[in-house]
Amino acid sequence: MPAQGKHRRSQAASLRRGLAAVTAGGAVLALPVIGATTAFAAPAPSAPQAAAPASVSPQANTAPPAQHSVKAGETLSEIAREHSVSGGWEKLYEGNRKIVGENPHLIQPGIKLTLGAASAPAADGKDATVTPATARGGSADRADRSERIGAAPVANAAPAAGTQAATYTNDLDGWIKESLAIMAEQGIPGTYEGIHRNIMRESSGNPAAINNWDSNAVKGTPSKGLLQVIDPTFQAYHVPGTSTDSYDPVANITAACNYAADRYGSIDNVFGAY
């Protein structure tokens, strides 16, 4: 007999079937069959993102500005020179106008001034803003005050745009304030209080006052004006730019303060006959 051929059912078809019939006690259950080709790998968890570093802002410089406590007899010009304030006394006044007030030549002892930037020194190490007046110190400064006699008057700086030139009332208050302005330009120390106190003692505020009975009067040189200055002293300490009349209130005050600075350091140091 010819040998019977053996036929095998292809297994590929069974793999493609979606269902397999399983008998269990006559019941037919339809179960899904997942082929290996339909499996998917679970996605890998994404790595957490690092938080961006917070930006760090530079810390502001909180150091307080330099200050100067005003002493009796000081002026803005002297303080500006002492601390080499860039822009001079005008810049110093501009930065402290609220505390000083409207009159830059009347500063009260004890107030604290905020100082600006110091001016840069010259290449040779010396302060480029030093003048003969600022270079003098102590008694030498007072002794040299007579050198200003006969010198050309110091021109007033032109007022800044938008500002008005200072005006003064024609009374004791105005005369003292105008004198203080001139004294500041010339580097002569003195305060409103020191001048006013001595005027009230010497003349009670009368610019025409004259003493015809003391030893000076006997010599033919009576004391005159608000601060009772004799003619020789007035001529020796006359401040350029002021009247040559010793009875003129502003000229009398500035000459007397110039003399007092030479002899006593400041009119503020005078508390009696001088």
Side-chain angles (χ1 to χ4, degrees):
M1 293 178 62
Q4 295 180 349
K6 297 181 178 178
H7 302 280
R8 295 181 179 179
R9 184 177 295 174
S10 172
Q11 295 180 355
S14 63
L15 292 176
R16 288 194 298 268
R17 284 201 303 264
L19 299 175
V22 180
T23 60
V28 179
L29 301 177
L31 300 176
V33 177
I34 302 174
T37 58
T38 63
F40 295 93
S46 59
Q49 294 182 349
S55 60
V56 179
S57 59
Q59 187 174 5
N61 183 11
T62 58
Q67 292 186 325
H68 175 88
S69 182
V70 176
K71 305 178 186 65
E74 286 187 315
T75 65
L76 290 179
S77 295
E78 293 174 330
I79 296 170
R81 288 196 299 267
E82 177 184 349
H83 295 282
S84 299
V85 175
S86 178
W89 73 266
E90 293 91 344
K91 191 67 174 179
L92 182 62
Y93 172 60
E94 180 183 338
N96 295 275
R97 189 185 188 99
K98 289 184 178 179
I99 189 173
V100 173
E102 293 303 317
N103 185 1
H105 310 297
L106 177 59
I107 56 175
Q108 299 297 331
I111 65 174
K112 294 187 181 299
L113 302 177
T114 300
L115 304 175
S119 57
D124 59 0
K126 298 180 181 179
D127 188 349
T129 61
V130 172
T131 64
T134 61
R136 297 193 296 267
S139 59
D141 178 39
R142 297 192 296 274
D144 289 346
R145 292 184 187 278
S146 59
E147 293 177 2
R148 291 195 295 271
I149 299 175
V154 178
N156 293 329
T163 62
Q164 295 180 349
T167 58
Y168 306 98
T169 55
N170 189 27
D171 55 18
L172 182 58
D173 178 71
W175 300 330
I176 294 176
K177 290 178 178 178
E178 184 174 357
S179 297
L180 284 167
I182 297 171
M183 290 163 58
E185 293 174 356
Q186 298 288 335
I188 303 171
T191 64
Y192 187 103
E193 189 279 331
I195 295 173
H196 187 272
R197 168 170 46 81
N198 283 283
I199 286 176
M200 298 311 293
R201 185 191 66 251
E202 293 292 328
S203 67
S204 299
N206 179 13
I210 184 171
N211 185 327
N212 287 315
W213 57 86
D214 65 2
S215 59
N216 287 319
V218 172
K219 296 176 182 177
T221 56
S223 302
K224 301 176 182 178
L226 289 173
L227 283 170
Q228 293 292 279
V229 183
I230 62 175
D231 283 341
T233 300
F234 177 82
Q235 293 165 8
Y237 290 92
H238 172 258
V239 176
T242 63
S243 173
T244 55
D245 180 4
S246 62
Y247 282 109
D248 178 85
V250 174
N252 188 280
I253 292 172
T254 53
C257 288
N258 197 17
Y259 164 75
D262 186 13
R263 186 162 184 180
Y264 304 101
S266 171
I267 190 70
D268 295 338
N269 299 330
V270 177
F271 292 91
Y274 67 113

